[in-house]
Amino acid sequence: MSAAGGRRRLLIRGLAQLATPAGTVAPLRGPALGDVDVLEDAYVLCDGDTIEAVGRMRDLEPLDGDVEELDGRGLCAIPGLVDCHTHACFAGDRVEEFALRASGATYEELHAAGSGIMATVRATRAAGEDALAAAVRKHRDWMLREGTTTFESKSGYGLDRDTELASLRAIRDAGGVPTWLGAHAVPPEFPDADAYLDFALAEVLPAAAELAEAADVFVERGAFGVAQARRYLEACGEAGLASRLHGDQFTEQGGVPLAVELGARSVDHLEATGAEGVATLSKSDVAAVLLPASALFLGRPMPPARALVDAGAIVALATDFNPGSAFCESLPIVCCLAATQLKLSPPEALAACTVNAAHVLRRGERVGRLAPGYEADVVLLDAPDWRYLSYHLGGHLVAQVVLRGAPAELV
Ligand code: NIG
Ligand code: FE
């Protein structure tokens, strides 16, 4: 702490490398997605929760006043990672289902049989608000251990008024960005999707709109159709919520054109998206949020990432962390999948889970770069080259995390 203002200044010095998406605009698209600035023998100076300066050690001027120091020798600094698509508010697990899938059952079959998402809904409804809040904090700490300093989380495992609102409060109180996934599945107490939406929009939306920043809907056979998704998102939009969609996960049901029609922030998944969907997205300002850990976990085709980037679409990467389709909280693993499965270069992956993910959450002005004025969120990689972010598959990678200017305790 500096005695004068009570503000903490922190100098991370002697870094082997510092890497940050280039430029100042968000989002980055097309060839600009791969532009990264790399400094050797670098420092980051934080003033309170904001980055004051970054540069090379040889250009560092003497600093006045109290400055705490962190030794960055042998480490590489990248911006705090941004996970713009998670389902971190859930109780229980789906390990039985995972074992069944390993023996050949499919995710869609389990969902149709009332297992899958509804199994987690039952566990989440039974958990109670305190246990749910503790679960979100635990999942947030897992993410932080992997370098995630900003996370979005959806509700969607309550699907009743009390549990949906408790979920949104738990996400907000854990420091997450809450999204109301009120249209995740149709719970069995309703005869059909429209009857459920009648309830959700009349009874849950008014309070959900006070807690969440965006609304999300699962557009898929067995979940919600395009007309129902339009109705849900339009009503949410009137209540002040931005639109997001789960689209083209298993089949193309029209989620992409609907996202563009509604001016949604993003359409997420896209494992089933064909050439027309790629062209539609690339001409729009709707971000394509790609979730390769989910495709891997379910043994599904990977989304057309290379085509989307090359066509100029806004592309972001996220984990989709949840107990059923992606029990993975690690954005570094996602960056490795981006390189090995999606054919995105390490610089493209870095931008996709920093500045572009921050853009999806409408925080791109202040989050996602190591540059003056940005939030002082820094990940220190135990690596001689920052591209270990994509290269090191699932090993010890994150040495330290600085969160809003202070070294974080990692679980
Ligand atoms: O994004 N597909 C819809 N929702 C989640 C999975 C939720 C679950 O299986 O519990 C997803 O993959
Ligand atoms: Fe999801």
Side-chain angles (χ1 to χ4, degrees):
M1 289 284 181
S2 82
R7 254 182 7 228
R8 170 183 218 145
R9 281 175 99 208
L10 176 72
L11 176 67
I12 311 169
R13 58 180 304 140
L15 290 157
Q17 290 182 332
L18 176 157
T20 184
T24 55
V25 298
L28 296 174
R29 43 206 301 178
L33 189 69
D35 289 344
V36 60
D37 291 332
V38 181
L39 299 177
E40 311 275 341
D41 193 21
Y43 73 88
V44 182
L45 178 62
C46 310
D47 182 3
D49 64 2
T50 301
I51 294 175
E52 181 179 331
V54 301
R56 290 168 305 183
M57 285 303 292
R58 65 167 186 256
D59 300 325
L60 179 63
E61 306 277 345
L63 299 169
D64 294 333
D66 288 346
V67 181
E68 199 180 320
E69 294 200 353
L70 199 63
D71 184 1
R73 277 177 300 176
L75 307 177
C76 290
I78 58 171
L81 303 176
V82 179
D83 201 338
C84 66
H85 181 139
T86 85
H87 306 251
C89 187
F90 64 87
D93 64 37
R94 301 251 285 281
V95 65
E96 290 298 339
E97 170 187 318
F98 180 77
L100 288 174
R101 287 203 295 105
S103 319
T106 72
Y107 180 85
E108 283 191 288
E109 282 163 10
L110 290 159
H111 180 69
S115 185
I117 292 171
M118 283 316 300
T120 302
V121 169
R122 288 188 286 276
T124 303
R125 286 178 176 177
E129 184 149 4
D130 290 349
L132 269 190
V136 180
R137 289 195 299 272
K138 180 167 88 169
H139 298 149
R140 173 203 61 196
D141 291 348
W142 290 359
M143 292 188 239
L144 184 66
R145 185 74 196 76
E146 298 294 315
T148 296
T149 52
T150 301
F151 75 100
E152 178 261 16
S153 175
K154 301 163 201 311
S155 62
Y157 291 122
L159 307 180
D160 63 23
R161 185 175 195 279
D162 289 352
T163 317
E164 283 298 308
L165 297 180
S167 299
L168 293 171
R169 281 193 294 272
I171 294 159
R172 178 200 62 190
D173 294 348
V177 178
T179 297
W180 183 42
L181 181 50
H184 196 192
V186 181
E189 58 271 26
F190 293 92
D192 56 38
D194 286 303
Y196 168 66
L197 289 181
D198 289 344
F199 155 79
L201 295 175
E203 303 297 331
V204 190
L205 172 59
E210 300 292 314
L211 292 163
E213 297 191 9
D216 200 339
V217 51
F218 183 22
V219 182
E220 189 54 73
R221 61 184 181 204
F224 296 88
V226 158
Q228 292 154 343
R230 182 186 288 109
R231 174 185 171 210
Y232 171 75
L233 291 174
E234 280 180 348
C236 291
E238 279 164 28
L241 296 174
S243 294
R244 299 188 60 181
L245 296 88
H246 281 66
D248 295 2
Q249 183 178 8
F250 298 99
T251 52
E252 285 187 290
Q253 297 285 330
V256 167
L258 179 65
V260 173
E261 174 195 323
L262 297 179
R265 285 188 182 177
S266 71
V267 55
D268 307 34
H269 273 289
L270 304 175
E271 289 92 319
T273 303
E276 207 178 318
V278 169
T280 303
L281 276 175
S282 65
K283 290 195 266 349
S284 81
D285 291 326
V286 178
V289 176
L290 307 182
L291 312 165
S294 173
L296 181 81
F297 204 72
L298 295 184
R300 303 285 308 168
M302 289 286 160
R306 196 65 260 161
L308 285 161
V309 172
D310 291 343
I314 300 170
V315 171
L317 287 167
T319 60
D320 196 23
F321 172 66
N322 76 77
S325 71
F327 195 45
C328 172
E329 68 277 16
S330 171
L331 279 170
I333 287 179
V334 168
C335 287
C336 185
L337 295 175
T340 58
Q341 311 299 307
L342 303 184
K343 304 301 171 203
L344 300 189
S345 67
E348 289 171 331
L350 177 70
C353 66
T354 54
V355 65
N356 277 15
H359 170 75
V360 171
L361 303 180
R362 295 301 183 262
R363 283 157 170 76
E365 304 285 301
R366 231 181 93 81
V367 174
R369 284 191 168 92
L370 294 179
Y374 281 77
E375 274 186 6
D377 297 331
V378 189
V379 177
L380 301 178
L381 304 178
D382 185 0
D385 185 303
W386 75 269
R387 293 171 299 178
Y388 275 48
L389 173 66
S390 289
Y391 170 52
H392 198 166
L393 173 53
H396 174 74
L397 178 67
V398 174
Q400 178 66 276
V401 177
V402 171
L403 182 64
R404 319 289 187 262
E409 216 177 290
L410 303 181
V411 290

